[in-house]
Structure formats: C-alpha cells, structure tokens
Amino acid sequence: MTSATFEAIYHAWCACRRRKRKTPQVQCYEVNLLDNLMGAVQALSERRWRPSPPVCFVVSQPKGREVHAAQFADRVIHHYLVPQLEPLFENVFI
C-alpha cells in the first residue's frame, strides 16, 4: 500500500462529499478542512488512525431499522483505503 499523501486524501474527501455537501457533518468537517486533511495524512502515515464510534440512528422507510454509520472523517479515510485494498481482495472473493 502506498503512503498517504495530501493529494490522495484530498481526492478522497472530494469523492466522499459528493451529494452530501449540505449535511451538518460535512459542513463541520469543512470548517477546519486543511487541519482535518493534514491530520488524516499524518495519522495514516504514522499508522495511528483509529475509527471513531459510529453514528446510530433509526430509519422507517422502506422498513424500520437501526443504522450505524461511520463518522464523516472516517468515511474520507474509507474513500482513500478502499481503492487501494480492492485489488488485493477482488480475486479472493470472486
């Protein structure tokens, strides 16, 4: 796996915020965007990134269920990691 770069994390953030720009989590993240992106790069480079507790909520449509969703900052990291890990696991799961 390649080391985390600012450019790679920035592109992950761009992909992650698509169709979610008006949500409160995204807006809070963007208030300190450079600090958040640099913090993500540093945490990944130092191998000390740990996911935050998920956000839990209930939806009723199409049927009632409890949803546990990753925090926005963690979803940025997911958008960075998945394209790198996908080729490693794709052949195993097919």
Side-chain angles (χ1 to χ4, degrees):
M1 190 175 329
T2 62
S3 64
T5 64
F6 182 81
E7 183 180 6
I9 298 297
Y10 175 80
H11 289 298
W13 166 72
C14 288
C16 190
R17 74 181 181 150
R18 263 186 218 121
R19 296 185 300 273
K20 298 187 183 316
R21 298 216 44 202
K22 294 182 181 179
T23 63
Q25 272 198 344
V26 174
Q27 291 177 352
C28 287
Y29 189 87
E30 290 179 354
V31 167
N32 297 314
L33 180 62
L34 288 177
D35 291 337
N36 288 328
L37 295 179
M38 288 305 295
V41 170
Q42 188 173 10
L44 287 170
S45 296
E46 296 172 359
R47 295 178 180 231
R48 62 176 174 78
W49 175 77
R50 297 289 179 263
S52 304
V55 176
C56 181
F57 56 94
V58 176
V59 296
S60 58
Q61 295 296 327
K63 68 178 196 177
R65 64 187 186 278
E66 188 176 57
V67 176
H68 295 266
Q71 302 265 352
F72 183 76
D74 291 338
R75 290 197 310 263
V76 172
I77 304 298
H78 298 166
H79 275 79
Y80 166 73
L81 291 175
V82 168
Q84 294 186 41
L85 295 174
E86 205 170 51
L88 300 173
F89 291 103
E90 192 170 334
N91 291 335
V92 174
F93 292 119
I94 291 179

Coordinates of all heavy atoms in Angstrom, one line a residue:
M1 N 0.9 -1.2 0.0 CA 0.0 0.0 0.0 C 0.9 1.2 0.0 O 1.9 1.3 0.7 CB -0.9 0.0 1.2 CG -2.0 1.0 1.1 SD -3.2 1.0 2.4 CE -3.4 -0.6 2.9
T2 N 0.5 2.2 -0.8 CA 1.3 3.5 -0.8 C 1.1 4.3 0.4 O 0.0 4.2 1.1 CB 0.9 4.3 -2.1 OG1 -0.5 4.6 -2.0 CG2 1.1 3.5 -3.3
S3 N 2.0 5.2 0.7 CA 1.8 6.1 1.8 C 0.8 7.2 1.5 O 0.6 7.6 0.4 CB 3.2 6.7 2.2 OG 3.6 7.5 1.2
A4 N 0.2 7.6 2.6 CA -0.9 8.6 2.4 C -0.2 10.0 2.0 O 0.7 10.4 2.6 CB -1.7 8.8 3.7
T5 N -0.8 10.6 1.0 CA -0.3 11.9 0.6 C -1.5 12.9 0.7 O -2.7 12.5 0.7 CB 0.2 12.0 -0.9 OG1 -1.0 11.6 -1.7 CG2 1.3 11.0 -1.1
F6 N -1.2 14.2 0.8 CA -2.2 15.2 0.9 C -3.2 15.1 -0.3 O -4.4 15.2 -0.2 CB -1.7 16.6 1.1 CG -2.7 17.6 1.2 CD1 -3.3 17.8 2.5 CD2 -3.1 18.4 0.2 CE1 -4.3 18.8 2.6 CE2 -4.1 19.3 0.3 CZ -4.7 19.5 1.5
E7 N -2.5 15.0 -1.5 CA -3.3 14.9 -2.7 C -4.3 13.7 -2.7 O -5.5 13.9 -3.1 CB -2.4 14.8 -3.9 CG -3.1 14.8 -5.2 CD -2.2 14.8 -6.4 OE1 -1.0 14.6 -6.2 OE2 -2.7 14.9 -7.5
A8 N -3.9 12.6 -2.2 CA -4.7 11.4 -2.2 C -5.9 11.6 -1.2 O -7.0 11.2 -1.5 CB -3.9 10.2 -1.8
I9 N -5.6 12.1 -0.1 CA -6.6 12.4 0.9 C -7.6 13.4 0.4 O -8.8 13.3 0.6 CB -6.0 12.7 2.3 CG1 -5.2 11.6 2.8 CG2 -7.1 13.1 3.3 CD1 -5.9 10.3 3.1
Y10 N -7.1 14.4 -0.2 CA -7.9 15.5 -0.8 C -8.9 14.9 -1.8 O -10.1 15.2 -1.8 CB -7.1 16.6 -1.4 CG -7.9 17.6 -2.2 CD1 -8.5 18.7 -1.4 CD2 -8.1 17.6 -3.5 CE1 -9.3 19.6 -2.1 CE2 -8.8 18.6 -4.2 CZ -9.4 19.6 -3.4 OH -10.2 20.5 -4.1
H11 N -8.4 14.0 -2.7 CA -9.3 13.4 -3.7 C -10.3 12.5 -3.0 O -11.5 12.4 -3.4 CB -8.5 12.6 -4.7 CG -7.7 13.5 -5.7 ND1 -8.4 14.4 -6.5 CD2 -6.4 13.7 -5.9 CE1 -7.5 15.1 -7.2 NE2 -6.3 14.7 -6.8
A12 N -9.9 11.8 -1.9 CA -10.9 11.0 -1.2 C -12.0 11.9 -0.6 O -13.1 11.5 -0.6 CB -10.1 10.2 -0.1
W13 N -11.6 13.0 0.0 CA -12.6 14.0 0.5 C -13.5 14.5 -0.6 O -14.7 14.5 -0.3 CB -11.8 15.1 1.2 CG -12.7 16.3 1.5 CD1 -13.7 16.3 2.5 CD2 -12.8 17.5 0.8 NE1 -14.3 17.6 2.5 CE2 -13.8 18.3 1.4 CE3 -12.1 18.1 -0.3 CZ2 -14.1 19.6 1.0 CZ3 -12.4 19.3 -0.7 CH2 -13.4 20.1 0.0
C14 N -13.0 14.8 -1.7 CA -13.9 15.2 -2.8 C -14.9 14.2 -3.2 O -16.1 14.5 -3.4 CB -13.0 15.6 -4.1 SG -12.1 17.1 -3.9
A15 N -14.4 12.9 -3.3 CA -15.4 11.8 -3.6 C -16.4 11.6 -2.5 O -17.5 11.3 -2.7 CB -14.6 10.5 -3.8
C16 N -15.9 11.7 -1.3 CA -16.8 11.5 -0.1 C -17.9 12.5 0.1 O -19.0 12.2 0.5 CB -15.9 11.4 1.1 SG -16.8 10.8 2.6
R17 N -17.6 13.7 -0.3 CA -18.6 14.8 0.0 C -19.6 14.9 -1.1 O -20.6 15.7 -1.0 CB -17.9 16.1 0.1 CG -17.3 16.7 -1.1 CD -16.6 18.0 -0.9 NE -16.2 18.4 -2.2 CZ -16.0 19.7 -2.6 NH1 -16.3 20.6 -1.7 NH2 -15.6 20.0 -3.8
R18 N -19.5 14.2 -2.2 CA -20.5 14.2 -3.3 C -21.9 13.9 -2.8 O -22.0 12.9 -2.1 CB -20.1 13.2 -4.4 CG -19.3 13.9 -5.5 CD -19.1 12.9 -6.7 NE -17.7 13.2 -7.1 CZ -16.8 12.4 -7.2 NH1 -16.9 11.1 -6.9 NH2 -15.6 12.8 -7.6
R19 N -22.8 14.8 -3.2 CA -24.2 14.6 -2.8 C -24.5 14.7 -1.3 O -25.5 14.3 -0.8 CB -24.8 13.3 -3.4 CG -24.8 13.3 -4.9 CD -25.5 12.1 -5.4 NE -24.9 10.8 -5.1 CZ -23.9 10.2 -5.7 NH1 -23.4 10.8 -6.7 NH2 -23.5 9.1 -5.2
K20 N -23.5 15.2 -0.5 CA -23.7 15.3 0.9 C -23.2 16.6 1.4 O -23.0 16.8 2.6 CB -22.9 14.2 1.6 CG -23.3 12.8 1.3 CD -22.7 11.8 2.1 CE -23.0 10.4 1.8 NZ -24.4 10.1 1.6
R21 N -23.0 17.6 0.6 CA -22.4 18.9 0.9 C -23.2 19.7 2.0 O -22.6 20.5 2.7 CB -22.1 19.7 -0.3 CG -21.2 19.0 -1.2 CD -20.3 19.8 -2.0 NE -19.6 20.9 -1.3 CZ -19.0 21.9 -1.9 NH1 -19.1 22.0 -3.2 NH2 -18.4 22.8 -1.2
K22 N -24.5 19.5 2.0 CA -25.3 20.3 2.9 C -25.6 19.6 4.3 O -26.3 20.2 5.1 CB -26.6 20.6 2.2 CG -26.5 21.5 1.0 CD -27.7 21.9 0.4 CE -27.5 22.8 -0.8 NZ -28.7 23.2 -1.5
T23 N -25.0 18.4 4.5 CA -25.2 17.8 5.8 C -24.4 18.4 6.8 O -23.3 18.9 6.6 CB -24.9 16.3 5.7 OG1 -23.5 16.1 5.4 CG2 -25.7 15.6 4.6
P24 N -24.8 18.4 8.1 CA -24.1 19.0 9.2 C -22.7 18.4 9.4 O -21.8 19.2 9.7 CB -25.0 18.8 10.4 CG -26.4 18.6 9.9 CD -26.2 17.9 8.5
Q25 N -22.6 17.1 9.3 CA -21.2 16.5 9.5 C -20.2 17.0 8.4 O -19.1 17.3 8.8 CB -21.3 15.0 9.4 CG -21.6 14.3 10.6 CD -21.3 12.8 10.6 OE1 -21.1 12.2 9.5 NE2 -21.3 12.2 11.8
V26 N -20.6 17.1 7.2 CA -19.7 17.6 6.1 C -19.4 19.1 6.4 O -18.2 19.5 6.3 CB -20.3 17.4 4.7 CG1 -19.5 18.0 3.7 CG2 -20.6 15.9 4.5
Q27 N -20.3 19.9 6.7 CA -20.1 21.3 7.0 C -19.1 21.5 8.2 O -18.3 22.3 8.1 CB -21.4 22.0 7.2 CG -22.2 22.1 5.9 CD -23.5 22.8 6.0 OE1 -23.9 23.1 7.1 NE2 -24.2 23.1 4.9
C28 N -19.3 20.7 9.2 CA -18.4 20.8 10.4 C -17.0 20.4 10.0 O -16.0 21.0 10.4 CB -18.9 19.9 11.5 SG -20.4 20.6 12.4
Y29 N -16.9 19.4 9.2 CA -15.6 18.9 8.7 C -14.9 20.0 7.9 O -13.7 20.2 8.0 CB -15.7 17.6 7.9 CG -14.4 16.9 7.6 CD1 -13.9 16.0 8.5 CD2 -13.8 17.1 6.4 CE1 -12.7 15.3 8.2 CE2 -12.6 16.5 6.0 CZ -12.1 15.6 6.9 OH -10.9 14.9 6.6
E30 N -15.7 20.7 7.0 CA -15.1 21.6 6.1 C -14.7 22.9 6.8 O -13.9 23.7 6.3 CB -16.1 21.9 5.0 CG -16.2 20.7 4.0 CD -17.1 20.9 2.9 OE1 -17.8 21.9 2.9 OE2 -17.1 20.0 2.0
V31 N -15.2 23.2 8.0 CA -14.8 24.4 8.7 C -13.3 24.4 9.0 O -12.7 25.4 8.9 CB -15.6 24.5 10.1 CG1 -15.0 25.6 11.0 CG2 -17.1 24.8 9.8
N32 N -12.8 23.3 9.3 CA -11.3 23.1 9.6 C -10.8 22.1 8.5 O -10.0 21.2 8.9 CB -11.1 22.6 11.0 CG -11.5 23.6 12.0 OD1 -11.2 24.8 11.9 ND2 -12.2 23.1 13.0
L33 N -11.1 22.3 7.3 CA -10.7 21.4 6.2 C -9.2 21.0 6.2 O -8.9 19.9 6.2 CB -11.2 21.9 4.9 CG -10.9 20.9 3.7 CD1 -11.6 19.6 3.9 CD2 -11.4 21.6 2.4
L34 N -8.4 22.0 6.1 CA -7.0 21.8 6.0 C -6.4 21.0 7.2 O -5.6 20.1 7.0 CB -6.2 23.1 5.8 CG -6.3 23.7 4.4 CD1 -5.6 25.0 4.3 CD2 -5.9 22.8 3.3
D35 N -6.8 21.4 8.4 CA -6.4 20.7 9.6 C -6.9 19.3 9.6 O -6.1 18.4 9.9 CB -6.9 21.4 10.9 CG -6.3 22.8 11.1 OD1 -5.2 23.0 10.6 OD2 -6.9 23.6 11.8
N36 N -8.1 19.1 9.2 CA -8.7 17.7 9.1 C -7.9 16.8 8.1 O -7.6 15.7 8.4 CB -10.2 17.7 8.8 CG -11.0 18.2 10.0 OD1 -10.6 18.0 11.2 ND2 -12.1 18.9 9.7
L37 N -7.7 17.4 6.9 CA -7.0 16.6 5.9 C -5.5 16.3 6.3 O -5.1 15.2 6.1 CB -7.0 17.3 4.6 CG -8.4 17.5 3.9 CD1 -8.3 18.3 2.6 CD2 -9.1 16.2 3.7
M38 N -4.9 17.3 6.8 CA -3.5 17.1 7.3 C -3.4 16.1 8.4 O -2.5 15.3 8.5 CB -2.8 18.4 7.6 CG -2.5 19.3 6.5 SD -1.5 18.5 5.2 CE 0.0 18.3 6.1
G39 N -4.4 16.2 9.3 CA -4.4 15.3 10.4 C -4.6 13.8 10.0 O -4.0 12.9 10.5
A40 N -5.5 13.7 8.9 CA -5.7 12.3 8.3 C -4.4 11.8 7.7 O -4.0 10.6 7.9 CB -6.8 12.4 7.3
V41 N -3.7 12.7 7.0 CA -2.5 12.3 6.3 C -1.5 11.8 7.4 O -0.8 10.8 7.3 CB -1.9 13.4 5.4 CG1 -0.5 13.1 5.0 CG2 -2.8 13.7 4.3
Q42 N -1.3 12.6 8.4 CA -0.4 12.4 9.5 C -0.7 11.1 10.2 O 0.2 10.2 10.5 CB -0.3 13.5 10.4 CG 0.8 13.4 11.4 CD 1.0 14.7 12.3 OE1 0.1 15.6 12.2 NE2 2.1 14.7 13.0
A43 N -2.0 10.9 10.6 CA -2.4 9.7 11.3 C -2.2 8.4 10.5 O -1.7 7.4 11.0 CB -3.9 9.8 11.7
L44 N -2.5 8.5 9.2 CA -2.2 7.3 8.3 C -0.7 7.1 8.1 O -0.3 5.9 8.1 CB -2.9 7.5 6.9 CG -4.4 7.4 7.0 CD1 -5.0 7.9 5.6 CD2 -4.9 6.0 7.3
S45 N 0.0 8.1 7.9 CA 1.5 8.0 7.7 C 2.1 7.4 9.0 O 3.1 6.6 8.9 CB 2.1 9.3 7.4 OG 1.6 9.8 6.2
E46 N 1.7 7.8 10.1 CA 2.2 7.3 11.4 C 1.6 6.0 11.9 O 1.9 5.5 12.9 CB 2.1 8.3 12.5 CG 2.9 9.6 12.2 CD 2.7 10.7 13.1 OE1 1.8 10.6 14.1 OE2 3.3 11.8 13.0
R47 N 0.6 5.5 11.1 CA -0.1 4.2 11.4 C -0.8 4.3 12.8 O -0.8 3.3 13.5 CB 0.8 3.0 11.3 CG 1.3 2.8 9.9 CD 2.2 1.6 9.9 NE 2.7 1.4 8.5 CZ 2.6 0.3 7.9 NH1 2.1 -0.8 8.5 NH2 3.1 0.2 6.7
R48 N -1.4 5.4 13.1 CA -2.1 5.6 14.3 C -3.6 5.9 14.2 O -4.3 6.3 15.1 CB -1.4 6.6 15.2 CG -1.3 8.0 14.7 CD -0.7 8.9 15.7 NE -0.5 10.2 15.1 CZ -1.5 11.1 15.0 NH1 -2.7 10.9 15.4 NH2 -1.3 12.3 14.4
W49 N -4.1 5.9 12.9 CA -5.5 6.2 12.7 C -6.4 5.1 13.3 O -6.1 3.9 13.1 CB -5.8 6.3 11.2 CG -7.3 6.5 10.9 CD1 -8.0 7.6 11.1 CD2 -8.2 5.5 10.5 NE1 -9.3 7.4 10.8 CE2 -9.4 6.1 10.4 CE3 -8.1 4.1 10.2 CZ2 -10.6 5.4 10.0 CZ3 -9.2 3.5 9.7 CH2 -10.4 4.1 9.7
R50 N -7.4 5.4 14.0 CA -8.4 4.5 14.5 C -9.8 5.1 14.2 O -10.0 6.3 14.4 CB -8.3 4.4 16.1 CG -6.9 3.8 16.5 CD -6.9 2.3 16.2 NE -5.6 1.7 16.6 CZ -4.5 1.5 15.8 NH1 -4.6 1.9 14.6 NH2 -3.5 1.0 16.3
P51 N -10.7 4.2 13.8 CA -12.0 4.7 13.5 C -12.8 5.2 14.8 O -12.6 4.7 15.9 CB -12.8 3.5 12.9 CG -12.0 2.4 13.3 CD -10.6 2.8 13.6
S52 N -13.6 6.3 14.6 CA -14.4 6.8 15.7 C -15.6 6.0 15.9 O -16.0 5.2 15.0 CB -14.8 8.2 15.3 OG -13.7 9.0 15.0
P53 N -16.3 6.1 17.0 CA -17.6 5.4 17.2 C -18.6 5.8 16.1 O -18.6 6.9 15.7 CB -18.0 5.8 18.6 CG -16.8 6.3 19.3 CD -15.9 6.9 18.2
P54 N -19.4 4.8 15.6 CA -20.3 5.2 14.6 C -21.5 6.0 15.1 O -21.8 6.1 16.3 CB -20.9 3.8 14.1 CG -20.6 2.9 15.3 CD -19.4 3.4 16.0
V55 N -22.1 6.7 14.2 CA -23.4 7.5 14.5 C -24.5 6.5 14.3 O -24.6 5.8 13.3 CB -23.5 8.6 13.5 CG1 -24.8 9.4 13.7 CG2 -22.4 9.6 13.5
C56 N -25.4 6.4 15.3 CA -26.5 5.5 15.3 C -27.8 6.2 15.1 O -28.0 7.3 15.8 CB -26.5 4.7 16.6 SG -27.8 3.5 16.7
F57 N -28.7 5.8 14.2 CA -30.0 6.4 14.1 C -31.0 5.4 13.5 O -30.6 4.3 13.1 CB -29.9 7.6 13.1 CG -29.3 7.4 11.8 CD1 -30.2 7.1 10.7 CD2 -28.0 7.4 11.6 CE1 -29.6 6.8 9.5 CE2 -27.4 7.2 10.3 CZ -28.2 6.9 9.3
V58 N -32.2 5.7 13.6 CA -33.3 4.8 13.1 C -34.0 5.4 11.9 O -34.3 6.6 11.9 CB -34.3 4.6 14.3 CG1 -35.5 3.7 13.8 CG2 -33.7 4.0 15.5
V59 N -34.2 4.6 10.9 CA -35.0 5.0 9.7 C -36.2 4.1 9.7 O -36.3 3.0 10.2 CB -34.2 4.8 8.4 CG1 -33.0 5.7 8.4 CG2 -33.7 3.4 8.2
S60 N -37.3 4.7 9.1 CA -38.5 4.0 9.0 C -38.9 3.6 7.6 O -39.9 2.8 7.4 CB -39.6 4.8 9.6 OG -39.7 6.0 9.0
Q61 N -38.2 4.1 6.6 CA -38.6 3.8 5.2 C -37.4 3.1 4.5 O -36.3 3.5 4.7 CB -38.9 5.1 4.4 CG -40.1 5.8 4.9 CD -41.4 5.0 4.7 OE1 -41.5 4.2 3.7 NE2 -42.3 5.1 5.6
P62 N -37.5 2.1 3.8 CA -38.8 1.4 3.4 C -39.3 0.5 4.6 O -40.5 0.2 4.6 CB -38.4 0.5 2.2 CG -36.9 0.3 2.4 CD -36.4 1.5 3.1
K63 N -38.5 0.2 5.6 CA -39.0 -0.5 6.8 C -38.1 -0.1 7.9 O -36.9 0.3 7.7 CB -39.0 -2.0 6.6 CG -37.6 -2.7 6.5 CD -37.8 -4.2 6.4 CE -36.5 -4.9 6.8 NZ -36.6 -6.3 6.7
G64 N -38.6 -0.2 9.1 CA -37.9 0.3 10.3 C -36.6 -0.5 10.5 O -36.6 -1.7 10.5
R65 N -35.5 0.2 10.8 CA -34.3 -0.5 11.1 C -33.3 0.5 11.8 O -33.4 1.7 11.6 CB -33.6 -1.1 9.9 CG -33.2 -0.2 8.8 CD -32.7 -0.9 7.6 NE -32.2 -0.1 6.6 CZ -32.9 0.6 5.7 NH1 -34.2 0.6 5.8 NH2 -32.3 1.4 4.9
E66 N -32.4 0.0 12.5 CA -31.3 0.8 13.2 C -30.1 0.8 12.2 O -29.7 -0.2 11.8 CB -31.0 0.2 14.5 CG -30.1 1.1 15.4 CD -29.9 0.4 16.7 OE1 -29.4 -0.7 16.8 OE2 -30.1 1.1 17.7
V67 N -29.6 2.0 12.0 CA -28.4 2.2 11.2 C -27.2 2.7 12.0 O -27.4 3.6 12.8 CB -28.7 3.2 10.0 CG1 -27.5 3.4 9.2 CG2 -29.9 2.7 9.2
H68 N -26.1 2.1 11.7 CA -24.8 2.5 12.4 C -23.9 3.0 11.2 O -23.5 2.2 10.4 CB -24.1 1.4 13.1 CG -24.9 0.9 14.3 ND1 -24.7 1.4 15.5 CD2 -25.9 0.0 14.4 CE1 -25.6 0.8 16.4 NE2 -26.3 0.0 15.7
A69 N -23.7 4.3 11.1 CA -22.9 4.9 10.0 C -21.6 5.5 10.5 O -21.6 6.0 11.7 CB -23.8 6.0 9.4
A70 N -20.6 5.4 9.7 CA -19.3 5.9 10.1 C -19.4 7.4 10.1 O -20.1 8.1 9.4 CB -18.3 5.5 9.1
Q71 N -18.6 8.0 11.0 CA -18.4 9.5 11.0 C -17.9 9.9 9.7 O -17.2 9.2 9.0 CB -17.5 9.9 12.2 CG -17.9 9.4 13.5 CD -18.6 10.4 14.3 OE1 -18.8 11.6 13.9 NE2 -19.1 10.0 15.4
F72 N -18.1 11.2 9.3 CA -17.7 11.7 8.0 C -16.2 11.6 7.9 O -15.6 11.2 6.9 CB -18.1 13.1 7.8 CG -17.7 13.6 6.4 CD1 -18.4 13.2 5.3 CD2 -16.7 14.5 6.3 CE1 -18.0 13.7 4.0 CE2 -16.3 14.9 5.1 CZ -17.0 14.5 3.9
A73 N -15.4 11.9 8.9 CA -13.9 11.9 8.9 C -13.5 10.5 8.6 O -12.5 10.3 7.8 CB -13.3 12.4 10.2
D74 N -14.2 9.5 9.1 CA -13.8 8.1 8.8 C -14.2 7.7 7.4 O -13.5 6.9 6.8 CB -14.5 7.1 9.8 CG -13.9 7.3 11.2 OD1 -12.8 7.8 11.4 OD2 -14.7 6.9 12.2
R75 N -15.3 8.2 6.9 CA -15.7 7.9 5.5 C -14.7 8.5 4.5 O -14.4 7.9 3.5 CB -17.1 8.5 5.2 CG -18.1 7.7 6.0 CD -19.5 7.9 5.5 NE -20.0 9.2 5.3 CZ -20.7 9.9 6.2 NH1 -21.1 9.4 7.3 NH2 -21.0 11.2 5.9
V76 N -14.0 9.6 4.9 CA -13.0 10.1 4.0 C -11.8 9.1 3.9 O -11.3 8.8 2.8 CB -12.4 11.5 4.5 CG1 -11.2 11.9 3.7 CG2 -13.5 12.6 4.4
I77 N -11.4 8.6 5.0 CA -10.4 7.6 5.1 C -10.8 6.3 4.3 O -10.0 5.7 3.6 CB -10.0 7.2 6.5 CG1 -9.6 8.4 7.3 CG2 -8.9 6.1 6.6 CD1 -8.4 9.1 6.8
H78 N -12.1 5.9 4.5 CA -12.6 4.8 3.7 C -12.5 5.0 2.2 O -12.1 4.1 1.5 CB -14.1 4.5 4.0 CG -14.3 4.2 5.5 ND1 -15.6 4.2 6.0 CD2 -13.5 3.8 6.5 CE1 -15.5 3.8 7.3 NE2 -14.3 3.6 7.6
H79 N -12.8 6.2 1.8 CA -12.7 6.5 0.3 C -11.2 6.5 -0.1 O -10.9 6.3 -1.3 CB -13.3 7.9 0.0 CG -14.8 7.8 -0.2 ND1 -15.7 7.8 0.8 CD2 -15.5 7.9 -1.4 CE1 -16.9 7.7 0.3 NE2 -16.8 7.8 -1.0
Y80 N -10.3 6.7 0.8 CA -8.9 6.6 0.4 C -8.4 5.2 0.4 O -7.7 4.7 -0.5 CB -8.1 7.4 1.5 CG -6.6 7.1 1.4 CD1 -5.8 7.6 0.4 CD2 -6.0 6.3 2.4 CE1 -4.4 7.3 0.3 CE2 -4.6 6.0 2.3 CZ -3.9 6.5 1.3 OH -2.5 6.2 1.2
L81 N -8.9 4.4 1.4 CA -8.4 3.0 1.5 C -9.0 2.0 0.6 O -8.3 1.1 0.1 CB -8.6 2.5 3.0 CG -7.8 3.2 4.1 CD1 -8.2 2.7 5.4 CD2 -6.3 2.9 3.8
V82 N -10.3 2.1 0.3 CA -10.9 1.0 -0.5 C -10.3 0.9 -1.9 O -10.1 -0.3 -2.3 CB -12.5 1.3 -0.5 CG1 -13.2 0.5 -1.6 CG2 -13.1 1.1 0.8
P83 N -10.1 1.9 -2.6 CA -9.4 1.7 -4.0 C -8.1 1.0 -3.9 O -7.7 0.3 -4.8 CB -9.3 3.1 -4.6 CG -10.3 3.9 -3.9 CD -10.4 3.3 -2.5
Q84 N -7.4 1.2 -2.8 CA -6.1 0.5 -2.6 C -6.2 -1.0 -2.2 O -5.4 -1.8 -2.6 CB -5.2 1.2 -1.6 CG -4.9 2.6 -2.1 CD -3.9 3.3 -1.1 OE1 -3.0 2.7 -0.6 NE2 -4.1 4.6 -0.9
L85 N -7.2 -1.2 -1.4 CA -7.4 -2.6 -0.9 C -8.2 -3.5 -1.8 O -8.0 -4.7 -1.8 CB -8.1 -2.6 0.5 CG -7.3 -1.9 1.6 CD1 -8.2 -1.8 2.8 CD2 -6.0 -2.7 1.9
E86 N -9.0 -2.9 -2.6 CA -9.9 -3.6 -3.6 C -9.2 -4.6 -4.5 O -9.5 -5.8 -4.6 CB -10.7 -2.7 -4.4 CG -12.0 -3.2 -4.9 CD -12.9 -2.1 -5.5 OE1 -12.4 -1.3 -6.3 OE2 -14.0 -2.0 -5.1
P87 N -8.1 -4.2 -5.1 CA -7.4 -5.1 -6.0 C -6.8 -6.3 -5.2 O -6.7 -7.4 -5.8 CB -6.2 -4.3 -6.6 CG -6.6 -2.9 -6.4 CD -7.5 -2.9 -5.2
L88 N -6.4 -6.1 -4.0 CA -5.9 -7.2 -3.2 C -6.9 -8.3 -2.8 O -6.6 -9.5 -2.8 CB -5.3 -6.7 -1.8 CG -4.2 -5.6 -2.0 CD1 -3.8 -5.1 -0.6 CD2 -2.9 -6.3 -2.6
F89 N -8.1 -7.9 -2.6 CA -9.2 -8.8 -2.2 C -10.1 -9.3 -3.3 O -10.8 -10.3 -3.2 CB -10.0 -8.2 -1.1 CG -9.3 -8.0 0.2 CD1 -8.8 -6.8 0.6 CD2 -9.0 -9.1 1.0 CE1 -8.1 -6.7 1.8 CE2 -8.3 -9.0 2.2 CZ -7.9 -7.8 2.6
E90 N -10.1 -8.6 -4.5 CA -11.0 -8.9 -5.5 C -10.9 -10.3 -6.0 O -11.9 -11.0 -6.1 CB -10.8 -7.9 -6.7 CG -11.9 -7.9 -7.7 CD -11.8 -6.8 -8.7 OE1 -11.2 -5.8 -8.4 OE2 -12.3 -7.0 -9.8
N91 N -9.7 -10.8 -6.3 CA -9.6 -12.2 -6.8 C -10.0 -13.2 -5.7 O -10.4 -14.3 -6.1 CB -8.1 -12.4 -7.2 CG -7.8 -11.6 -8.5 OD1 -8.7 -11.3 -9.3 ND2 -6.5 -11.3 -8.6
V92 N -9.7 -12.9 -4.5 CA -10.1 -13.8 -3.4 C -11.6 -14.0 -3.3 O -12.0 -15.1 -3.0 CB -9.5 -13.3 -2.0 CG1 -9.9 -14.2 -0.9 CG2 -8.0 -13.2 -2.1
F93 N -12.3 -13.0 -3.5 CA -13.8 -13.0 -3.3 C -14.6 -13.4 -4.5 O -15.8 -13.7 -4.4 CB -14.3 -11.7 -2.7 CG -13.8 -11.5 -1.3 CD1 -13.1 -10.4 -0.9 CD2 -14.1 -12.4 -0.3 CE1 -12.6 -10.2 0.3 CE2 -13.7 -12.2 1.0 CZ -12.9 -11.1 1.3
I94 N -13.9 -13.4 -5.7 CA -14.6 -13.8 -6.9 C -14.6 -15.3 -7.1 O -13.7 -15.9 -6.9 CB -14.0 -13.0 -8.1 CG1 -14.3 -11.6 -8.0 CG2 -14.6 -13.6 -9.4 CD1 -13.8 -10.7 -9.1

